[in-house]
Amino acid sequence: MLQEQLLVVISLLFGISMLTMLSQKLKISYPILLVISGLLISLIPGMPDITLAPDLVFLIFLPPLLYAAAWNTSWKDFWKLKRPISLLSIGLVFFTSATVAVVAHAIIPDFSLALGFLLGGIISPPDAVAATSVLQGLKVPKRVVTILEGESLVNDAASLIVFRFALAAIITGQFHLGEAAKNFALAAVMGIVIGVAIAFIVYQIHRFFPTTPAIDSAITLITPYIMYICAEHFHFSGVLSVVSGGLFLTFRSSELFSYESRLSINGFWETLIFLLNGFVFILIGLQLPVIVSGLGNYSVWEAILYGVLISLVIIVVRLAWVYPAAFIPRWLFKNIRNSEPKPNLKSIFLVGWSGMRGVVSLASALAIPLTLAGNPFPHRNLILFITFVVILITLVLQGLSLKPLIRLLKFDGDEKESEKFKTLALRIRLAESALAYMDTNYPEETQNHDTYKRVRDRYERMIEITKRKLENGEDNQDDSSFLPHYRQMLIELVHIRRRELNYFRHTGEFDEELIREREWELDLEEARLKN
């Protein structure tokens, strides 16, 4: 039995790798292709039913995925955009949950308002993984990306709290708004406190204890699980614990690791997140037979109709929310008008359209109890099916349409020019600091030794060329044609040397250990040239 399950897991991981390569070939975001592929695979006769346990998602998958998303988020940008992020991640979650509750209660027979809130809490949060993966590689304004990533980090906590309160109301038959608000605030605040406290301890461990790249990688893997489990043990928000702790450590990441640890950790997490993301999204598609088999009194077409209608509702609700949320605070507060640029209508629409749902929604639906007071939980399988349809429609429809939509919106190049200007300015500052250090610490060497003098001349030329580019406001012939060609030549030289190393490996002229050391140097050099 264990061997069969292991074979299924390994087969899925292999399939994920193949499908991801296909997605790159087709230029389609891999979560979209994986969900569709999982759906098609599930329809093959004789395929075993694969169930997605909610505890497995919440405990195994969610902490590292959230931690990685938080680690790649700039705390400075996140805090700067805290108002739009909060309006989306908290305000929109509650507004969506309430709207879905009313609509579901109206269109589905015998579907109570409490069940509607339960469904709303499940499908209200866009998915962190879906947003990041679908937008990757697209030319999207930085502000839009930061808002969407920040929203998807926080909204899971708000939606899970709505889900828990709605579930408690259904089970007990009682709901007190004041108590719910107090519990929400307590769960959020204490989740943040626990996450930051654990992150501070981890920070001190990294700083004051001798570590190796392997130990650093292991600690970064263990940390999000400790944050999540500790917060959930005390019935606080494990999601906010992981997010707040991840942001705390991100802000101080430059103080924690050596260059060796950073290289090791980046490679380790890139592989881990790729496998977790792929596994989660293909499992979403594989859930269909299990969900359909449990529909009971509802026909598939009825369930599809409800799912499509509610999908349209959450898409429209999001679009209806983002415009007032962008403009009303500016109308009410003068300091916002003075400190922030005028909202861009195209960017607002892009934020409104980027509401893809994902694994947290499905895991929440699967977490609904099977029974209630000894009887089957009302409409449980219908809620599961609607959730699946919402994920499929938002991920596929909105995800596939994002690329042509961005091309149609034609975002101007002002932000790109600004980023180019900042890049050049940073290059000057770094070169000037290097020159100042050499003049202070190696004055005689730079005057008397050709090797030192060449290094100093190199930095002087770098400053001179970069300042000239800043003054002209455009790239000269060197950058537009010479530098790319020159870099390509350097990469080719790396390949030539690597080919020669392989020759020496076969002839045995040099020791294998020595060859591996030179190969590692070539890998670092190629990574620097290509990035």
Side-chain angles (χ1 to χ4, degrees), residues 263-280:
L263 289 172
S264 175
I265 289 170
N266 287 339
F268 168 76
W269 274 90
E270 188 174 351
T271 303
L272 176 66
I273 296 306
F274 164 71
L275 291 176
L276 290 179
N277 284 349
F279 207 75
V280 161

Side-chain angles (χ1 to χ4, degrees), residues 100-106 108-119 166 169-170 377-379 383:
V100 168
V102 173
V103 172
H105 176 62
I108 303 176
D110 302 323
F111 205 83
S112 68
L113 204 58
L115 283 171
F117 271 102
L118 184 68
L119 176 61
I170 294 170
F377 194 97
H379 304 283
I383 293 174

Side-chain angles (χ1 to χ4, degrees), residues 276-330:
L276 290 179
N277 284 349
F279 207 75
V280 161
F281 280 104
I282 200 167
L283 282 178
I284 289 175
L286 291 170
Q287 297 305 295
L288 183 63
V290 179
I291 295 171
V292 171
S293 64
L295 277 177
N297 297 329
Y298 296 96
S299 70
V300 174
W301 292 111
E302 282 180 310
I304 290 175
L305 176 62
Y306 296 144
V308 170
L309 290 175
I310 291 174
S311 299
L312 294 176
V313 166
I314 65 171
I315 292 172
V316 171
V317 163
R318 184 176 176 89
L319 289 171
W321 175 272
V322 291
Y323 286 98
F327 285 101
I328 290 177
R330 291 181 60 84

Side-chain angles (χ1 to χ4, degrees), residues 180-370:
K182 182 181 71 175
N183 291 336
F184 171 81
L186 181 65
V189 171
M190 292 307 299
I192 293 172
V193 169
I194 290 174
V196 172
I198 294 173
F200 181 76
I201 295 171
V202 172
Y203 170 70
Q204 299 300 329
I205 291 172
H206 279 298
R207 282 196 66 190
F208 297 111
F209 285 85
T211 61
T212 65
I215 294 173
D216 285 333
S217 298
I219 292 175
T220 60
L221 176 61
I222 296 166
T223 298
Y225 289 107
I226 296 174
M227 293 172 178
Y228 186 86
I229 292 170
C230 286
E232 289 292 323
H233 175 75
F234 295 105
H235 305 291
F236 301 133
S237 174
V239 171
L240 285 181
S241 178
V242 174
V243 169
S244 59
L247 289 173
F248 178 93
L249 291 172
T250 300
F251 187 69
R252 291 160 178 80
S253 60
S254 61
E255 308 169 28
L256 299 181
F257 306 120
S258 65
Y259 79 94
E260 293 172 304
S261 291
R262 271 193 290 271
L263 289 172
S264 175
I265 289 170
N266 287 339
F268 168 76
W269 274 90
E270 188 174 351
T271 303
L272 176 66
I273 296 306
F274 164 71
L275 291 176
L276 290 179
N277 284 349
F279 207 75
V280 161
F281 280 104
I282 200 167
L283 282 178
I284 289 175
L286 291 170
Q287 297 305 295
L288 183 63
V290 179
I291 295 171
V292 171
S293 64
L295 277 177
N297 297 329
Y298 296 96
S299 70
V300 174
W301 292 111
E302 282 180 310
I304 290 175
L305 176 62
Y306 296 144
V308 170
L309 290 175
I310 291 174
S311 299
L312 294 176
V313 166
I314 65 171
I315 292 172
V316 171
V317 163
R318 184 176 176 89
L319 289 171
W321 175 272
V322 291
Y323 286 98
F327 285 101
I328 290 177
R330 291 181 60 84
W331 298 338
L332 295 178
F333 302 103
K334 185 178 179 180
N335 65 317
I336 294 178
R337 293 195 297 272
N338 294 334
S339 61
E340 296 183 11
K342 186 178 179 181
N344 184 310
L345 293 177
K346 293 187 290 187
S347 295
I348 296 172
F349 182 79
L350 184 58
V351 170
W353 190 250
S354 303
M356 292 76 70
R357 271 57 178 177
V359 65
V360 173
S361 293
L362 186 59
S364 298
L366 289 166
I368 299 173
L370 293 172

